[in-house]
Amino acid sequence: MTDPSRHELRHHGDADLAPGLIDLAVNVRAGTPPPWLRTVLHEALDASAGYPDAGPARAAVAAAHSRDPAEVLLTAGAAETFVLLARALRPRRSVLVHPSFTEPELALRSAGHPVSRLLLRAEDGYRLDPMAVPEDADLVVLGNPTNPTSVLHPAADLVALARPGRVLVVDEAFADTVPGEPESLAGRRDVPGLLVVRSLTKTWGLAGIRVGYALGSADLVAALAAHQPHWPVSTPALAALTACTTPAARAEAEAAARELTGRRAALLEALPGWVVVEGRPRSSFVLLLVPDGARVRQTLRHRGWAVRRGDTFPGLTADHLRVAVRDPATSRGFAAALAEVMTTHRIPEEIR
Ligand SMILES: Cc1ncc(COP(=O)(O)O)c(C=O)c1O
């Protein structure tokens, strides 16, 4: 198991990409944003001479989750929320549940806050035991479903982590990849200290627009908002928020999530039987364990396939590869390449 350096914690799937490679490294839905959303963005660009008005988008997000607008924090991507938490809170003991997205840890460390890690284990299927979180943690951060394990924790296990005096951050950047969002806490107003973090990046293909939001008590939202600059979310991002929270858009996201379920099954079925699939995948990517993973990844890359390295995630190793779910033909092509690389291929000298 590795203990990634700070530099490695900054590594994300986009760094595993290069022009010409088939992208299984970044978990943004292929073929996005859809044409109607491009139109929304273009129109918003045309209306961008003035400063943005966040009111309508905030109201739209609040309505979509049956919340009060005061409980909605609009952000320049989910990633901004982690920086705001680090600025606004003074945690004595923050616990980060890993392996997981590393930006929360980086944001807390950069602000000088003490950070401890709770490493979930492969032998437990990377499932969370709520009892394993230290009682004195006043800030707990975890993802659901979790990047990179693709594991979906039961909502009840997350709710069991809430305590008076504790902020519980659930990163739901991938929640809309799960049909019906059965374990989402986005609509829960009864869980003390809960902050749910959401993103438009993955399902709508808006990584470059930087758009997301967080849902929590009005007090917590106000405390975080106090650390934002004026006009933190651009006019195109606000237009996307309003457009992606309509009933029609949410139905489209739900259909995409259902299609993804079939595509994930096709990928798992195509993989060689001796490849270990970690945990029980429920999101738009799967975590694989392959012997000699670093060389396998390099050789796949040489053959035109980009996968996400695993060793920059606390708790994983170079033998872990995260692979995005794509259409069945692409998944079958990848599975065949993986099988060949692992059985017959000798790694060329020049890429060793
Ligand atoms: C689990 C998780 N949360 C948040 C983010 C960041 O999302 P955004 O693009 O909205 O900042 C990512 C991006 O990879 C992620 O994997």
Side-chain angles (χ1 to χ4, degrees):
M1 194 185 297
T2 54
D3 185 13
S5 66
R6 203 149 163 154
H7 172 70
E8 286 174 320
L9 291 177
R10 287 220 175 276
H11 183 98
H12 297 298
D14 54 345
D16 289 316
L17 269 183
L21 296 182
I22 298 170
D23 173 15
L24 304 186
V26 179
N27 292 319
V28 171
R29 183 160 65 104
T32 53
W36 62 264
L37 185 51
R38 285 167 200 249
T39 304
V40 167
L41 293 172
H42 287 146
E43 285 173 4
L45 205 57
D46 290 342
S48 288
Y51 282 99
D53 172 11
R58 200 175 189 194
V61 172
H65 293 288
S66 308
R67 314 258 328 204
D68 190 280
E71 298 169 342
V72 176
L73 178 76
L74 304 185
T75 58
E80 190 195 358
T81 300
F82 306 124
V83 174
L84 296 175
L85 282 162
R87 286 183 188 157
L89 305 182
R90 295 278 169 277
R92 286 182 311 280
R93 182 158 192 198
S94 41
V95 170
L96 299 156
V97 180
H98 281 297
S100 193
F101 185 55
T102 47
E103 286 297 315
E105 175 166 332
L106 279 163
L108 290 166
R109 283 188 190 279
S110 298
H113 299 306
V115 166
S116 20
R117 294 175 179 166
L118 171 63
L119 294 184
L120 305 185
R121 303 179 322 157
E123 46 276 40
D124 300 331
Y126 293 105
R127 280 188 303 269
L128 172 74
D129 170 8
M131 300 296 287
V133 174
E135 200 51 45
D136 63 346
D138 53 0
L139 173 63
V140 177
V141 186
L142 76 175
N144 206 38
T146 307
N147 170 17
T149 60
S150 201
V151 167
L152 183 66
H153 301 297
D157 287 354
L158 305 184
V159 170
L161 295 177
R163 302 270 183 290
R166 173 185 284 178
V167 173
L168 170 63
V169 180
V170 181
D171 177 356
E172 292 194 358
F174 287 98
D176 55 0
T177 64
V178 185
E181 302 192 8
E183 312 302 341
S184 171
L185 299 181
R188 293 286 295 264
R189 311 177 72 187
D190 59 328
V191 182
L194 174 67
L195 188 76
V196 173
V197 182
R198 305 278 300 216
S199 171
L200 267 62
T201 289
K202 316 293 177 183
T203 290
W204 296 111
L206 297 178
I209 294 289
R210 312 302 308 130
V211 56
Y213 55 94
L215 304 161
S217 71
D219 286 353
L220 183 54
V221 164
L224 298 174
H227 291 267
Q228 285 183 301
H230 224 107
W231 316 289
V233 183
S234 70
T235 297
L238 293 170
L241 279 163
T242 303
C244 293
T245 45
T246 63
R250 295 173 78 206
E252 186 174 323
E254 175 68 14
R258 282 199 302 270
E259 183 179 32
L260 174 76
T261 305
R263 291 180 164 197
R264 190 176 55 237
L267 169 62
L268 295 175
E269 197 177 317
L271 288 171
W274 31 266
V275 169
V276 176
V277 178
E278 296 275 51
R280 180 173 169 232
R282 297 290 299 276
S283 190
S284 54
F285 46 89
V286 299
L287 182 65
L288 306 182
L289 182 65
V290 298
D292 215 4
R295 290 205 303 157
V296 167
R297 183 168 62 82
Q298 284 301 332
T299 313
L300 282 168
R301 192 176 172 82
H302 196 63
R303 293 174 160 224
W305 298 93
V307 299
R308 170 46 160 117
R309 63 190 282 191
D311 57 346
T312 64
F313 288 103
L316 298 189
T317 69
D319 288 345
H320 287 99
L321 304 178
R322 194 194 68 196
V323 175
V325 174
R326 301 289 184 218
D327 63 274
T330 303
S331 292
R332 281 193 294 273
F334 168 72
L338 180 63
E340 216 216 308
V341 164
M342 291 181 68
T343 51
T344 61
H345 189 66
R346 289 183 57 78
I347 311 282
E349 282 298 329
E350 73 270 18
I351 61 165
R352 282 191 180 177

